[in-house]
Structure formats: C-alpha cells, structure tokens
Amino acid sequence: MLKSIALAALAAGLSLPICAAAFAEPGTHNGTWAVELVTESGLCSARYNYALAIREGQVQLVSGSAGVRVNGHVGADGLVGLSVSNGTATGTGTGRLLAGTGAGTWKVSSLCSGHWTARRSNTRTAQAE
C-alpha cells in the first residue's frame, strides 16, 4: 500500500500546471522512462522503481501496482507535473526532464517525501493502445 502511495506522490510531483514557455520540439520526451523514487522522510519504503510512458506530453503508468492512477504532463521544455492516487491516498511531484535524464521531488501528504530520478529506457515513441 505504501509503495502505491509513493508512486502516487511521484506522479503528483510530475502534475503541476506548467506555465513556462516551450523551448524544445513537441514530443522530445516521448518514450518509456525508468523512474526511481528515494524516500528521505516518513513511513514509506526506502526505494521504489516504476516505468512511465510519455507520448506528446501525456504521462501514463507502464508498470506499477493495481489501483494506482497517474495523471500528468511533461511540457516541451521538460517541466513535469504529476498527480497520483491510490484509494484515498494522493501525492504530488515536480521536476524536469532533460534529454535522457530527469530529477525532482515528491510528497504523499504527511506520510512521506523524497526525490526522484528518471532515465529514458526507450527512445522510441510510446504507442497508445
């Protein structure tokens, strides 16, 4: 359950409104990304690993726990905003993707918080099914 909550936090950190101007080509960040969450404080496990797909700025969960919902966006400039939920637990996250890597912070209400890192694991465009 805490693993799902941490994913929700990451997703939330990746879903804040993006107001900055876009500097990169649309679809620059398309593909599959391996994401690691590291807990720095709170009741969550030490580390979590997930796969997220990005297609034209929309973020989709590729691997994770059942019942987890991810809603997020990546701007052309790499700014990431996500919201994640699992049951009544919700989380937020913020960060930035650059070329094939990324980093940011996440938080699940008062339960736990930490930082995340990402690396592109597939440079091909993720396909929507």
Side-chain angles (χ1 to χ4, degrees), residues 26-45:
T28 298
H29 305 292
N30 285 354
T32 303
W33 292 76
V35 180
E36 179 182 45
L37 283 72
V38 176
T39 302
E40 295 171 339
S41 67
L43 303 173
C44 298
S45 296

Side-chain angles (χ1 to χ4, degrees), residues 100-128:
T101 63
T105 59
W106 60 270
K107 181 176 183 173
V108 177
S109 61
S110 62
L111 293 176
C112 52
S113 63
H115 71 272
W116 60 267
T117 57
R119 65 178 168 71
R120 188 189 310 262
S121 58
N122 179 352
T123 57
R124 293 180 12 202
T125 301
Q127 297 297 315

Side-chain angles (χ1 to χ4, degrees), residues 16-126:
L16 301 173
I18 298 172
C19 301
F23 297 107
E25 299 273 331
T28 298
H29 305 292
N30 285 354
T32 303
W33 292 76
V35 180
E36 179 182 45
L37 283 72
V38 176
T39 302
E40 295 171 339
S41 67
L43 303 173
C44 298
S45 296
R47 293 182 187 276
Y48 302 95
N49 292 290
Y50 297 97
L52 299 176
I54 300 171
R55 178 166 173 81
E56 302 307 323
Q58 298 304 305
V59 179
Q60 207 174 43
L61 179 65
V62 173
S63 69
S65 304
V68 174
R69 291 182 176 192
V70 175
N71 182 12
H73 181 81
V74 178
D77 58 358
L79 288 177
V80 177
L82 291 179
S83 62
V84 179
S85 63
N86 184 18
T88 60
T90 60
T92 60
T94 59
R96 175 165 282 201
L97 298 178
L98 300 169
T101 63
T105 59
W106 60 270
K107 181 176 183 173
V108 177
S109 61
S110 62
L111 293 176
C112 52
S113 63
H115 71 272
W116 60 267
T117 57
R119 65 178 168 71
R120 188 189 310 262
S121 58
N122 179 352
T123 57
R124 293 180 12 202
T125 301

